[in-house]
Amino acid sequence: MGRPTFGGKSPDCGLLNRHCSPGLAIQVYISGNGLMILGGPDHLLQTIYHDDCPALVAVTIDETTGKIATASSNDIYVYRPYGMQEGLMKWSLQHTIPRPDEGPEVVTLSWGSDEELLIGSSSLRLFQTAAEETEIWNRRLSKPAKLAQFSYDADFIASTGLHDRLVKLWRRQSFGAEDTRFDYTYLPHPTAVTAIHWRRPHTRQQATSHVLYSNCGDGKIRIWAAMDPHGVQGLQLWAEMDLQASIQPRQLSIGTQSKDRFAFIIDSQDFASATAAAVQKAANNQSRGYHAINHLVEVARSSPEIVVILDRHGHMSAWGLENVGGKVRKPTDVFNIAHVENFFLGFPESAAPAENNTQLVPLCFELLDPPFALLVHHFDGRIEWLGCRLDELFDPSPQQERVCEKWLWTGHDGSVKKIVRSTSGKAIISRTNDNNALIWKQRHGGSNLGLDLSSSLDCLEHIHRSWLLHDGDFVVNLHHRSISLWDARSSPAASVGCVPFDLEGQLICLVKLPEKHLDATALHVAAITAKKQGIVWEIKLPRRSNKSPESEDASPPCIGWFCTFTLDVREDLSFLSPVDPAGSALWTSSSLDTFAKDIAISYSSEGRLRSWTAALDINHMSVEWLSSSVVETGVENPSLASASSTRKAAVVDASKTGLTVWDIRSGQLEHKFQYGDFDLIQDLDWSATPDNQALLAVGFPHKVVVLAQMRYDYLSAGPAWAPVREIHIKDSTPHPIGDSTWLGSGNLVIGAGNQLFVYDKTADPADEMVSDIAVPIHRQGRMDLFDLVTLLNGPLPLFHPQFLSQCVLAEGDDLDSFVSMTPEDLILESQAFSFAGQQGKGPEHVREADADPDTNIEDVADSLNETLSKVSIPQLSSHEQMHLADMVACVSAVEKHRRSMDENAGRYLLFFRQHMIRKAQIPPKRTNVSYREIVWAYHSGSQDIIVDLVSRQFHGRMLWEHAKECGLFMWMTDITALRTQFEVIARNEYTKSDEKNPVDCSLYYLALRKKNVLVGLWRLAGWNREQASTHRLLSNNFQEPRWKTAALKNAYALLGKRRFQYAASFFLLAGNLQDAVNICLHQLGDLQLAIAIARVYEGDDGLVLRMLLENKVLPQAASEGNRWLATWAFWMLGRRDMAVRSLISPVHTLLDTVEAPKLQAKSYLANDPALVVLYKQLRGRTLQTLKGASKVSPRDEWEFVIQNARLYDRMGCDLLALDLVRNWEFLVQPKGLPCKEEAPPDPRQLLRRRSSLVVDDLSSPKSPTAMKSGVGKAPPQKVFEEPKANSLLDSFGF
C-alpha cells in the first residue's frame, strides 16, 4: 500500500478516520506524496499522487460529506467525492489552498460543520469550502499548532503546540461566513500534551455535553467535561487516570515489566454497536460459552466510555467511565472491566527513538467482520489492521490470541523500480531508485493474499541486480564492481560480506547456478557481462531445518570467489537474463546435456535466441556452460525477452508493441500478438501451474494482461495463447507500473508508485475474455486461475470433438489395443451418460448396436444429436458440444458411403462437411478447405465419388468460388475428368445470372480451347453493348499473328480498365498461357485459378504448370512453412521422393532458395501431427517414396516422431501420442555402404514388413538441371508387382 508517513512529527499524521456512507466505510492515510483511500483492510478505492509537491504531512476526512483534505509544506488540497450513488466512489480535486509564505508548514487539519476546514500552523485559519474556498477566520498563535481538532458539533476547537503543556480551548461565539468569532480559555497540564480526543456523541444530549480526553507526558489521561456549561472555563477536569498504575502485572519478573504505556478510547456509541454485533455473533455460534458475552452485556448496560491501556509485554487493562460530565462524580463512575494478558501488538523492538512509538485507533463498523477493529500505527512505517470481537478482547479467562492481524499497510517511500521473486515464489524483494529494498514473504494459511514485511535493506551502493536465497532469508546484491551478501532473517538486514571484482564489459545478468543436491549448503551465483566474461561466487549458508529455527546450523554465512569463465558464443549478446524458475527448484544431473534445466537465455541483435544450462565442477573449481537450444526468431533488435523453466520464451520487438511467444524446445512460434501504438510492453513475467502449464503476465504502463497457454488446435487453427484476465490499475492509482512478478501460489504482485498491489488468482467465468475461449464451466461463481489453465490444457476426454477428429486422421479406431483397459473402463460411473431412448442400458448395448449390421447409422446419429441438444456434457463447453453434434452429423453422412471409398476420401469428406457446417454457422467469413484436406483427396483412389458428393453439396450448381472452396482442381488427378468438371464450371458461371453474360465464362471456355462455344454464346447476347464487336473479333482465326496481336491489345486494354479476369481470357485467346496465369496470381490473387487454367489448358506435363509449381508454389510453401502444399507440389512434379522428404524436413532446406522463411513458417501450425500419418502412408507406396524416405536420417525421423508425440500431448490427445511412439516402425538401415561397381540396394529392403504393392516408379536419369530443380517427368502408370514367396510371412511379422 505504501509506507505510512512518519508519525512522530504529529500524532494526527497518517491517522485513519472514518466515513459512514450507505454500504461503505472509508479509511485514509498518506504515504510520501500519495493519498491512500481505502474501503476496508484489503480494498483500495483510489490513490492520488501529488507529483509536483513535497511529501504530505496531514490528512483528514469529513464524515458528513466525504470530503478529504491533505496538506503538504506548500499547499492544502481539498478533494470532493463523486459516484457515491452509483457505488463507484472516487475523489477529485476541488480546491487548492496555498500556505502563507511566512511561518512553518501546516501540521494539522480538522473538519468542522457545513464543510468548514480548520488549518493549523503558526496560526489557526478556518475556510469555508462548500463552493469557493473562503477564509472566514484567522488567529495568530504564540506557538505553532501541533494539534487542533474540532468537536463533533464544531462548537469547540482544542489546540496545543509542540512541547506545550497548555491546551487552548476555543469556543465559538457565532456561526456564519461573515462573522465567525471564537474566544478561548486554557486547560493546564503539568507537562507537554501528546494527544487529544473528542468524545463521539451517542445521543442528542451528549452532542451538547462535550468531553475531551488529553494525554500528557506525565503518563496520565485527563478527562475534561462541561460540568458547568455556563462557566467561564468551558470544560472542567472530571477525572484523571494513571496509566502506570492501571496495569499491574501478575508476574513480578523484570522481563515482564514495561514503563511504556499505550492507550485508546472506545466511545460509548461505538462500544454499544460492537457489543450488539458480538452478541449476535455469539448467538449464531452455539458451541461457544456465554460467560464472556454475559460479562460484556453487563458492562454495556450503563453505556460507558471505555479506556483501554496496554504495555509492550501483552498486558492490557480496560476501564469503564460512566456518567462522564455529571456534576456529582461517584467513586463507581470509573470501574475496571478486565485485566488480561497475551494482547501483543507487534511493537517495534529495535527501532530508532523517533520511530519507537505507536498510535492506536479503534474502528467500530457494522460492515466490518469482525465489527471491531484496531488500527495500530507504528511510527516505523507500518499500519496494522487487527480484528477481534469485544467479548474475546475483554474475556478474563486466559487466551492465546485475542486479536488477529487482518492486513498490514506498509511499503516504500519512493517509487518501486524492481521486484524480484525467490525461486519458490514464497518471497519477493522490492527495490526503489534510491537503493532501498524491502523483503516480503507470503502469508500462510487460508486464502489471504497478504504479504508480511520480513526485513528492510538500505544500501549505499547502487544495486544492479538482486537474488533471494533460502526463501528470502538471505539476499545477494550485485553492484558495479562488487557483490554483497545480506542476512535478512532480522530487520533491518545486515551485510555479512562484500567481495570486489573486476570484469570487462557491462554487467547484464546475475543468475544462480544449479546444484547437484537440493539441500546443498554451498550455493553458487554467477555474473556475466556483455563481453561474455563471467565470474562465479560461492556462498555458504547455514543449513536449513524444517523442525524449528533453533535447530538450524549456527555457522555464519559467507561469500567468496569460486572461478571465472567465458561464454563460448560467436554472436554479440544484446542481453542475457535468468530464466524465470516458475516455482521449480534449480538442480542438475551428473551429466550436462540438453535435458538439463535452462537457467538463462541470451538474445542477439539478429534475432537469435539461445537457452543456457550449466554444471559445476566442485573438485576442479570450474563451471561448464552449454547452449541447450537455439531459436531463430527473426525479431531484430528486441526490446525485451523473458523465458520460463517450462521452456517457453516471450520476445518483444523494437517498437515494444509486438509480442511473440515461442516453444524453446522445438523452436516453434506459438502465437503472435500486436498491440496498439500506445500500449508499450515494458515487462514480462512467467508463472506455471502445478502440472507445468504456463501463464504469462504482459506488463504495460497502466495495465497487465495475463495470457494462458491453450491446447494446439490444427483443425480450426485456433490460438495457442489467449488472454484470460486484464488488470487495470488506473482506477486505483494514476502512477504507472514499475514492475510486477508472480508469487508461487499464483497471486500477482504489481508495484506502482510506492505501492504494492497483490491480486488473487481467481477468474470470472462471466468475464468476456474467459467466455470467448469457450471454457467448459458448468457452475456459477469465480474459479481458480490455475484450474482455468488446466481446463484449457491437459488430456481431452475421449468424446471431445478434437480428440475424435484426430482419431479419424490417425487411424485410431483401435486405440484400446495397446492399453490394458477397454474404453468403457475410462468412463467414470458418476459421468456415465445414457442416451435418449436407452435409459438403463450400459456400454454393452452400445457395442452390440455398433456390431449389428442392420443398425441404421442415421438413426443413431439423430438420437445422439437430439440428446446433445438437450443435455450439457461435462468437460465440454457449449461451443465444443455444438462441434461434437456437427461431427456426429458428418460421420453419419460419410458412413453411408464408407464401403465404396477409401480412407483418404473419408477423411476429406468428413472435414469438408464440417467446413460447410461451420461456414453456415458463421456466414460472413468465407474460407477454403485447408491444403491438408486437399492432399487427402489428392491421394484418394475414390475421387469420382468425392466429386459427386461435393457437387451434391452445392446442388449441382458448382461455380468457381465453390470449386475453389473445396480445392477441386488441385486434388483431381484424372485430367479428362478434370476438364469435364471445368466445363461444368464454365456452364454454371454462364447461367448463374438471369442475363447470362458470356464475359463470366470466357476464361473457362478459352482455357478448355472451346472458342466456338463462346462464339455461340456471344451470338445470343444481343443485350450486351459489346456483343457485336466481340462476336466479330472471336470469329477470326487466332492462329494468325495478326489476330494474336489484336487479342493481346485487347488484353492490355482490359488490364488498364482493371477487368483482370476478362483480360486473362484474351491472353488465352492469343495463346499466351503464361500471362494469363500471371494475372490470376498477381492481379486476382487466386493461386487455385492459375493452377486450374494451366492444368486444363496444357495438361499436367505442361511447361507453364511446371514453372508455376517451381517458381511460385514451392517458394510460397517454403516461405509459409506449408508442408501440405509442398508435398502436393513435389508429387505433381513427379518428385515423389522429395514429396516424402518435405513431410519431415523444413521445406526451405529442400530448395535452392536464398529467401528466408517468414515468421509464419515457424508457427506450430506448420507442424501438423497429421503429417506423420501421411508420411507413414506414402513412404512405402512407391520406390521413389522409399528412396526419399531413405534420405531421411534415423535421427531426423526419430525427432520427427517425438515432435509429433509432443504435439499430440499439447493437443490433449495423450492416447494418440502413446499409440504413435509405441507402434511406429522405423526403416531398416543398410548395414554397409555398397561398392561403386555394385547396383544400389533395392529400396524395398528398407521396409520391416516388405509389401508386394510397392509401385516401381523410378524413372530414367534426369539431366543435372532437372535434378537440381526437382523437375521430372509425369509419374508412370502403376504396375502391379508379383508378391514374393516370403512376403506373406513378413505381413505377419515373421
Side-chain angles (χ1 to χ4, degrees):
M1 289 294 186
R3 178 186 175 94
T5 297
F6 170 61
K9 195 171 192 179
S10 167
D12 216 16
C13 260
L15 210 63
L16 281 83
N17 300 297
R18 53 188 172 180
H19 165 64
C20 295
S21 65
L24 187 62
I26 299 172
Q27 303 83 41
V28 295
Y29 78 94
I30 53 179
S31 175
N33 62 352
L35 167 63
M36 315 300 168
I37 309 174
L38 302 101
D42 57 348
H43 184 199
L44 180 66
L45 296 176
Q46 190 177 357
T47 302
I48 301 175
Y49 282 97
H50 307 74
D51 295 329
D52 299 328
C53 77
L56 302 178
V57 295
V59 62
T60 184
I61 184 169
D62 186 1
E63 299 184 8
T64 304
T65 63
K67 283 188 173 183
I68 299 175
T70 62
S72 68
S73 57
N74 296 332
D75 301 295
I76 295 91
Y77 307 92
V78 178
Y79 294 92
R80 179 177 55 190
Y82 63 91
M84 186 183 306
Q85 301 299 327
E86 294 80 7
L88 300 173
M89 199 169 185
K90 298 292 179 182
W91 282 259
S92 61
L93 183 65
Q94 183 186 19
H95 303 302
T96 300
I97 304 174
R99 184 182 68 87
D101 296 334
E102 71 279 359
E105 63 185 21
V106 175
V107 293
T108 182
L109 301 169
S110 181
W111 286 100
S113 63
D114 298 329
E115 303 183 38
E116 295 176 342
L117 178 63
L118 177 66
I119 303 172
S121 56
S122 58
S123 61
L124 291 181
R125 296 189 298 161
L126 187 60
F127 283 83
Q128 174 57 247
T129 66
E132 299 293 332
E133 72 273 14
T134 305
E135 184 176 302
I136 60 177
W137 181 69
N138 190 336
R139 181 61 62 91
R140 190 79 179 178
L141 299 175
S142 58
K143 283 187 176 182
K146 175 186 176 182
L147 302 172
Q149 289 186 15
F150 262 118
S151 63
Y152 281 92
D153 61 354
D155 279 351
F156 285 93
I157 299 174
S159 67
T160 184
L162 184 65
H163 306 301
D164 197 348
R165 67 180 188 86
L166 298 176
V167 173
K168 187 173 287 188
L169 188 66
W170 305 81
R171 180 160 51 183
R172 189 189 289 264
Q173 299 298 314
S174 63
F175 285 85
E178 298 180 356
D179 184 21
T180 301
R181 292 174 295 143
F182 288 85
D183 64 0
Y184 64 90
T185 58
Y186 291 101
L187 303 180
H189 293 73
T191 58
V193 177
T194 58
I196 56 178
H197 170 76
W198 287 100
R199 180 182 69 175
R200 177 186 297 274
H202 181 42
T203 61
R204 180 174 298 180
Q205 181 181 0
Q206 284 187 345
T208 58
S209 178
H210 301 93
V211 176
L212 177 68
Y213 299 87
S214 62
N215 201 341
C216 191
D218 62 351
K220 291 184 179 180
I221 292 180
R222 289 170 174 82
I223 300 98
W224 307 84
M227 293 182 291
D228 185 7
H230 302 289
V232 179
Q233 192 70 14
L235 296 180
Q236 294 82 33
L237 182 65
W238 185 77
E240 293 182 353
M241 296 189 64
D242 191 341
L243 302 183
Q244 291 289 336
S246 298
I247 295 180
Q248 299 295 331
R250 295 170 182 166
Q251 300 178 1
L252 300 180
S253 60
I254 298 178
T256 60
Q257 298 181 10
S258 173
K259 294 183 178 181
D260 295 333
R261 295 291 186 269
F262 308 91
F264 62 90
I265 298 168
I266 306 177
D267 296 316
S268 59
Q269 176 190 4
D270 297 335
F271 181 71
S273 60
T275 300
V279 171
Q280 183 178 2
K281 194 80 173 180
N284 297 332
N285 188 3
Q286 300 295 334
S287 61
R288 185 175 178 87
Y290 285 93
H291 175 73
I293 201 68
N294 291 335
H295 174 67
L296 186 64
V297 171
E298 187 66 26
V299 172
R301 284 179 178 176
S302 56
S303 300
E305 317 289 332
I306 308 298
V307 179
V308 181
I309 307 166
L310 55 151
D311 63 7
R312 293 182 180 272
H313 297 289
H315 304 109
M316 185 199 74
S317 180
W319 298 81
L321 307 178
E322 187 179 349
N323 194 26
V324 178
K327 295 183 178 180
V328 179
R329 176 190 162 190
K330 298 179 291 183
T332 57
D333 287 347
V334 179
F335 58 93
N336 182 263
I337 297 176
H339 185 94
V340 300
E341 297 181 355
N342 297 326
F343 190 76
F344 298 99
L345 296 184
F347 295 106
E349 298 179 358
S350 57
E355 299 179 352
N356 193 14
N357 198 2
T358 300
Q359 195 171 28
L360 306 174
V361 181
L363 297 178
C364 297
F365 299 136
E366 296 180 359
L367 301 175
L368 299 178
D369 185 23
F372 177 78
L374 184 63
L375 294 176
V376 185
H377 180 194
H378 302 285
F379 285 7
D380 62 352
R382 295 177 294 134
I383 296 179
E384 289 183 286
W385 182 299
L386 305 178
C388 64
R389 282 170 43 184
L390 286 186
D391 57 328
E392 297 176 351
L393 182 64
F394 298 143
D395 189 356
S397 59
Q399 293 188 29
Q400 291 297 323
E401 294 184 0
R402 296 182 181 272
V403 293
C404 62
E405 183 180 352
K406 301 286 288 186
W407 216 259
L408 175 66
W409 298 338
T410 186
H412 293 276
D413 290 329
S415 298
V416 175
K417 174 186 178 182
K418 186 67 177 176
I419 305 176
V420 179
R421 58 170 274 176
S422 64
T423 302
S424 64
K426 297 179 180 179
I428 62 172
I429 179 172
S430 54
R431 194 173 72 239
T432 61
N433 288 319
D434 52 2
N435 301 315
N436 292 327
L438 297 178
I439 296 93
W440 309 81
K441 293 188 177 181
Q442 189 172 12
R443 187 169 299 168
H444 299 288
S447 58
N448 210 329
L449 304 178
L451 290 172
D452 291 326
L453 181 61
S454 175
S455 183
S456 61
L457 189 153
D458 292 328
C459 187
L460 299 178
E461 293 187 71
H462 173 72
I463 300 177
H464 195 62
R465 297 285 190 274
S466 297
W467 198 278
L468 293 178
L469 301 175
H470 282 190
D471 290 335
D473 289 345
F474 297 91
V475 183
V476 177
N477 287 328
L478 180 66
H479 314 286
H480 288 304
R481 285 293 176 261
S482 64
I483 187 170
S484 59
L485 176 64
W486 298 74
D487 187 346
R489 291 176 292 181
S490 60
S491 185
S495 177
V496 296
C498 184
V499 180
F501 63 87
D502 186 14
L503 283 177
E504 180 184 1
Q506 180 184 1
L507 292 169
I508 58 175
C509 182
L510 175 68
V511 61
K512 182 183 178 297
L513 300 180
E515 309 292 340
K516 292 188 177 181
H517 304 285
L518 292 177
D519 58 348
T521 57
L523 307 179
H524 299 80
V525 295
I528 307 170
T529 69
K531 297 293 185 179
K532 310 164 196 173
Q533 304 295 316
I535 185 171
V536 180
W537 293 275
E538 184 177 66
I539 302 173
K540 294 184 178 180
L541 301 178
R543 186 179 296 276
R544 304 177 70 185
S545 175
N546 297 328
K547 297 180 181 180
S548 63
E550 292 77 9
S551 61
E552 290 189 1
D553 188 2
S555 58
C558 62
I559 182 173
W561 178 89
F562 182 77
C563 71
T564 58
F565 61 89
T566 302
L567 283 182
D568 184 15
V569 58
R570 294 183 179 180
E571 67 265 14
D572 294 333
L573 300 182
S574 294
F575 54 82
L576 190 145
S577 61
V579 165
D580 195 320
S584 60
L586 286 176
W587 61 277
T588 184
S589 59
S590 56
S591 60
L592 183 64
D593 49 37
T594 56
F595 295 99
K597 279 192 173 291
D598 297 332
I599 62 172
I601 61 164
S602 64
Y603 208 97
S604 68
S605 58
E606 295 81 13
R608 184 175 294 110
L609 177 70
R610 288 183 181 270
S611 60
W612 295 89
T613 185
L616 290 163
D617 189 342
I618 303 298
N619 297 329
H620 296 85
M621 296 188 67
S622 64
V623 61
E624 182 182 0
W625 290 82
L626 174 66
S627 177
S628 55
S629 60
V630 180
V631 181
E632 297 290 345
T633 65
V635 182
E636 298 182 354
N637 300 315
S639 59
L640 187 63
S642 178
S644 167
S645 59
T646 58
R647 295 204 165 179
K648 306 292 181 184
V651 181
V652 181
D653 62 12
S655 65
K656 296 185 178 181
T657 58
L659 172 69
T660 53
V661 183
W662 299 81
D663 184 282
I664 300 178
R665 179 187 287 109
S666 61
Q668 292 183 155
L669 173 65
E670 293 197 334
H671 208 66
K672 180 180 180 181
F673 297 86
Q674 188 64 43
Y675 297 97
D677 294 337
F678 298 101
D679 289 335
L680 301 182
I681 303 173
Q682 62 183 23
D683 190 26
L684 299 171
D685 297 290
W686 290 94
S687 182
T689 63
D691 55 347
N692 270 348
Q693 310 295 346
L695 283 164
L696 175 62
V698 184
F700 299 89
H702 293 282
K703 68 177 181 180
V704 175
V705 178
V706 179
L707 305 177
Q709 172 183 311
M710 299 180 66
R711 297 184 187 95
Y712 286 165
D713 184 3
Y714 289 93
L715 300 179
S716 302
W721 290 78
V724 295
R725 189 176 185 184
E726 192 167 305
I727 299 172
H728 293 267
I729 68 165
K730 268 194 172 181
D731 295 336
S732 302
T733 174
H735 205 285
I737 296 174
D739 198 11
S740 60
T741 191
W742 292 93
L743 296 176
S745 61
N747 300 326
L748 184 64
V749 181
I750 299 177
N754 62 346
Q755 297 174 283
L756 292 180
F757 300 89
V758 184
Y759 291 90
D760 59 18
K761 58 176 182 177
T762 58
D764 188 0
D767 193 333
E768 184 178 353
M769 286 187 174
V770 180
S771 60
D772 285 347
I773 55 180
V775 178
I777 301 172
H778 298 280
R779 65 169 185 262
Q780 300 294 327
R782 301 171 71 86
M783 65 181 304
D784 192 286
L785 187 60
F786 283 178
D787 294 339
L788 172 63
V789 178
T790 300
L791 285 175
L792 298 176
N793 297 272
L796 290 171
L798 299 184
F799 47 81
H800 195 281
Q802 173 159 291
F803 182 84
L804 296 176
S805 299
Q806 291 299 324
C807 285
V808 172
L809 291 175
E811 302 173 324
D813 301 68
D814 299 324
L815 286 179
D816 56 342
S817 62
F818 66 93
V819 292
S820 59
M821 61 182 69
T822 61
E824 293 82 17
D825 297 330
L826 301 176
I827 303 176
L828 300 178
E829 293 183 1
S830 59
Q831 298 178 353
F833 189 83
S834 298
F835 297 107
Q838 297 179 359
Q839 298 292 338
K841 300 180 181 181
E844 294 78 7
H845 170 80
V846 179
R847 174 159 291 188
E848 289 175 3
D850 294 340
D852 188 357
D854 298 330
T855 301
N856 192 332
I857 298 299
E858 293 184 2
D859 294 341
V860 175
D862 293 342
S863 176
L864 284 173
N865 279 339
E866 182 182 356
T867 306
L868 287 172
S869 64
K870 298 178 181 179
V871 181
S872 296
I873 306 298
Q875 305 180 48
L876 290 184
S877 66
S878 57
H879 187 67
E880 292 167 344
Q881 189 162 336
M882 181 176 63
H883 282 182
L884 180 59
D886 295 343
M887 189 171 184
V888 170
C890 294
V891 171
S892 172
V894 173
E895 193 67 25
K896 293 186 297 183
H897 309 277
R898 188 67 172 174
R899 297 182 181 181
S900 56
M901 59 185 178
D902 57 14
E903 293 178 349
N904 287 340
R907 292 186 178 101
Y908 174 83
L909 287 175
L910 176 63
F911 293 107
F912 172 72
R913 289 294 301 269
Q914 286 192 16
H915 163 79
M916 297 302 296
I917 291 177
R918 295 183 185 182
K919 187 187 74 169
Q921 295 169 352
I922 313 176
K925 186 177 181 181
R926 176 172 292 278
T927 58
N928 304 326
V929 296
S930 67
Y931 288 113
R932 176 183 56 245
E933 278 68 61
I934 291 175
V935 171
W936 293 129
Y938 181 71
H939 290 289
S940 171
S942 311
Q943 292 185 356
D944 52 344
I945 299 178
I946 303 178
V947 172
D948 180 60
L949 294 177
V950 169
S951 300
R952 291 184 192 177
Q953 183 68 38
F954 299 108
H955 310 289
R957 303 284 300 174
M958 183 182 292
L959 303 175
W960 169 250
E961 61 179 356
H962 302 145
K964 178 182 176 181
E965 184 177 356
C966 63
L968 181 69
F969 293 98
M970 288 188 68
W971 52 257
M972 288 188 69
T973 56
D974 188 341
I975 196 67
T976 303
L978 180 80
R979 288 172 176 150
T980 302
Q981 193 63 36
F982 202 73
E983 188 171 1
V984 172
I985 298 294
R987 187 165 52 250
N988 292 336
E989 287 288 340
Y990 174 70
T991 60
K992 68 179 180 181
S993 60
D994 294 337
E995 59 186 10
K996 297 181 180 180
N997 193 348
V999 175
D1000 296 336
C1001 62
S1002 296
L1003 180 63
Y1004 306 101
Y1005 277 117
L1006 291 176
L1008 289 165
R1009 301 177 185 266
K1010 293 189 176 183
K1011 188 193 69 167
N1012 295 332
V1013 176
L1014 189 61
V1015 171
L1017 296 178
W1018 273 107
R1019 187 181 300 114
L1020 300 175
W1023 57 270
N1024 195 318
R1025 64 179 183 176
E1026 299 176 352
Q1027 187 258 349
S1029 58
T1030 305
H1031 181 267
R1032 186 168 54 251
L1033 176 64
L1034 291 177
S1035 300
N1036 296 297
N1037 183 8
F1038 287 89
Q1039 299 298 324
E1040 299 178 6
R1042 171 192 173 187
W1043 297 112
K1044 282 188 178 182
T1045 304
L1048 290 175
K1049 288 182 179 180
N1050 279 277
Y1052 287 117
L1054 291 169
L1055 277 177
K1057 296 179 180 180
R1058 304 188 65 82
R1059 298 175 66 181
F1060 299 126
Q1061 184 170 335
Y1062 202 27
S1065 64
F1066 273 88
F1067 277 119
L1068 289 179
L1069 187 63
N1072 199 337
L1073 174 62
Q1074 185 64 59
D1075 288 340
V1077 167
N1078 289 338
I1079 290 178
C1080 294
L1081 286 176
H1082 302 115
Q1083 276 71 32
L1084 296 176
D1086 195 338
L1087 176 62
Q1088 287 197 41
L1089 183 59
I1091 293 172
I1093 290 175
R1095 296 186 69 188
V1096 170
Y1097 193 86
E1098 62 177 3
D1100 289 346
D1101 297 330
L1103 180 61
V1104 174
L1105 177 62
R1106 183 167 300 171
M1107 294 175 61
L1108 174 62
L1109 296 175
E1110 294 173 357
N1111 301 330
K1112 173 62 181 178
V1113 177
L1114 284 175
Q1116 176 180 331
S1119 177
E1120 299 175 354
N1122 193 331
R1123 299 184 181 183
W1124 296 103
L1125 181 59
T1127 187
W1128 173 85
F1130 278 125
W1131 201 281
M1132 285 288 296
L1133 288 169
R1135 290 302 307 270
R1136 300 180 178 181
D1137 55 339
M1138 301 292 286
V1140 172
R1141 291 177 60 188
S1142 64
L1143 298 175
I1144 294 183
S1145 303
V1147 182
H1148 69 274
T1149 62
L1150 304 177
L1151 303 177
D1152 295 335
T1153 176
V1154 295
E1155 182 181 357
K1158 296 180 181 178
L1159 196 62
Q1160 179 184 354
K1162 301 174 183 179
S1163 171
Y1164 79 95
L1165 293 173
N1167 298 313
D1168 193 332
L1171 290 167
V1172 75
V1173 180
L1174 182 63
Y1175 173 77
K1176 183 179 179 181
Q1177 181 184 121
L1178 294 183
R1179 70 174 181 180
R1181 176 174 292 187
T1182 71
L1183 293 182
Q1184 268 203 63
T1185 58
L1186 275 174
K1187 181 181 177 181
S1190 66
K1191 293 182 180 180
V1192 178
S1193 67
R1195 175 73 180 182
D1196 291 342
E1197 185 175 356
W1198 181 84
E1199 291 181 351
F1200 176 64
V1201 174
I1202 296 301
Q1203 170 69 5
N1204 280 277
R1206 291 196 187 105
L1207 295 178
Y1208 277 133
D1209 180 67
R1210 181 65 190 275
M1211 294 172 64
C1213 304
D1214 300 60
L1215 287 178
L1216 295 179
L1218 180 59
D1219 176 66
L1220 176 63
V1221 297
R1222 183 183 185 274
N1223 297 324
W1224 184 262
E1225 291 184 354
F1226 292 89
L1227 296 178
V1228 177
Q1229 298 301 316
K1231 296 182 179 180
L1233 295 176
C1235 300
K1236 294 183 179 180
E1237 296 79 6
E1238 297 179 1
D1242 188 351
R1244 285 169 292 192
Q1245 296 178 359
L1246 301 175
L1247 295 174
R1248 295 184 180 272
R1249 304 184 184 189
R1250 291 192 294 274
S1251 173
S1252 60
L1253 299 180
V1254 177
V1255 178
D1256 185 1
D1257 60 349
L1258 289 176
S1259 57
S1260 59
K1262 303 179 180 66
S1263 64
T1265 304
M1267 290 290 291
K1268 183 177 181 179
S1269 63
V1271 179
K1273 298 182 179 179
Q1277 296 295 324
K1278 296 182 179 181
V1279 179
F1280 178 77
E1281 182 178 330
E1282 185 69 23
K1284 297 182 180 180
N1286 58 353
S1287 62
L1288 182 60
L1289 295 178
D1290 289 342
S1291 299
F1292 289 94
F1294 295 107

